Amino acid sequence: MIRVAVAGAAGRMGRAVVRAISESDAFRLVGALDAPGSSDAGKDAGELAACAAMSVAVTDDAQAVLAQANAVVDFSAPAASVQLAKLAAQAHVAHVIGTTGFSAEQESEIAAAAREIPIVKSGNMSLGVTLLASLVKQAAKALPDFDIEILEMHHRKKLDAPSGTALLLGAAAAQARGISLEENSLRDRDGYTGPRPGSAIGFASLRGGTIVGEHQVVFAGPQERLVLSHTAEDRAIFARGALAAARWAHGKSPGLYTMQDVLGLNA
């Protein structure tokens, strides 16, 4: 049984991970972390997640929690995830990061921590999205003259755009074509934009309602169009994927891994 701590335990995804742990015989919740000053501090993580009490109180004491864990599953905030990566490296605890919206500097700090521990980091922990990214990579390579546009829609409370998943899919396409996503990313079209650059990977972000997540990758060529898509119907899919990553990372050598590694798609 893998002893798991959950970071961001009071958030939507944190609660979903706690529920997934409560439904599994392979994992045991040993810690529930949330931001300092959280109004949920001291509450039972199981009850907070609308499942049975688990005798684990929400706390901000990361060091005490990591001392009991084999792995920490983290859906928090960029700055919190970076700090947690450093603490996990000191405690030699595998770190699964589902947080998105990192700066380049923060990405470098996480990569540094991964020299000490296994870190699985992904903009989307869904097994279906992981396979979708692999298919996008194949299509981008096989259809080099097709334009690529990525459309995503999420609930009204999502903070970052494009979504981490959209960027993950864009990165897969860019890698297949041997180009830099940063230099070829096309966003925020408005007004007279001129013709579309041929090498561009376009992004469009929509927000509204309670949509968990929808993504489409459009390959538009002469007289034909290929659309690869994924629809998330429940946050449980991300929670199950994150726990699969925690199981896979347990006992692995230090390194920065992705869900592609977890599914064996990089072999």
Side-chain angles (χ1 to χ4, degrees):
M1 182 175 290
I2 298 176
R3 301 187 303 278
V4 180
V6 177
R12 289 184 295 273
M13 271 309 308
R15 297 183 197 203
V17 175
V18 171
R19 284 194 296 274
I21 292 172
S22 75
E23 296 166 359
S24 173
D25 295 329
F27 303 93
R28 180 163 67 91
L29 183 70
V30 297
L33 292 168
D34 207 41
S38 169
S39 60
D40 294 305
K43 295 180 181 178
D44 185 276
E47 294 178 344
L48 194 60
C51 54
M54 301 174 75
S55 300
V56 175
V58 175
T59 179
D60 63 1
D61 191 346
Q63 288 181 313
V65 165
L66 291 174
Q68 305 176 64
N70 300 128
V72 56
V73 174
D74 175 12
F75 290 90
S76 57
S81 291
V82 169
Q83 182 61 27
L84 189 58
K86 296 175 182 178
L87 294 175
Q90 294 172 10
H92 301 290
V93 172
H95 191 181
V96 176
I97 303 176
T99 308
T100 60
F102 293 100
S103 68
E105 181 180 352
Q106 289 171 330
E107 295 278 9
S108 296
E109 292 183 86
I110 289 173
R115 291 195 285 267
E116 305 295 329
I117 56 170
I119 295 179
V120 179
K121 180 176 175 294
S122 179
N124 191 302
M125 291 290 169
S126 157
L127 303 182
V129 165
T130 302
L131 182 56
L132 174 61
S134 182
L135 297 174
V136 166
K137 188 179 294 186
Q138 292 182 50
K141 185 175 182 180
L143 305 171
D145 298 326
F146 280 48
D147 296 325
I148 301 175
E149 294 286 328
I150 300 174
L151 171 67
E152 55 100 349
M153 186 165 187
H154 285 82
H155 53 88
R156 64 174 64 187
K157 294 183 179 181
K158 186 165 180 59
L159 301 179
D160 55 323
S163 68
T165 303
L167 294 174
L168 180 153
L169 297 171
Q175 182 182 359
R177 291 191 171 177
I179 61 175
S180 163
L181 179 61
E182 183 177 351
E183 295 175 3
N184 292 277
S185 177
L186 183 60
R187 313 180 191 181
D188 301 326
R189 296 183 180 96
D190 186 27
Y192 186 78
T193 61
R196 184 190 195 281
S199 63
I201 296 176
F203 292 88
S205 299
L206 306 178
R207 297 289 179 266
T210 58
I211 297 170
V212 175
E214 296 180 1
H215 294 84
Q216 292 186 352
V217 183
V218 180
F219 292 86
Q223 292 82 51
E224 62 178 329
R225 187 172 64 228
L226 171 67
V227 180
L228 302 176
S229 67
H230 179 272
T231 299
E233 299 176 352
D234 193 296
R235 289 185 179 82
I237 66 172
F238 309 127
R240 289 194 296 268
L243 290 177
R247 182 191 300 114
W248 180 88
H250 182 53
K252 283 287 186 298
S253 299
L256 186 57
Y257 301 100
T258 69
M259 288 299 289
Q260 299 273 330
D261 295 302
V262 175
L263 287 190
L265 295 174
N266 285 336

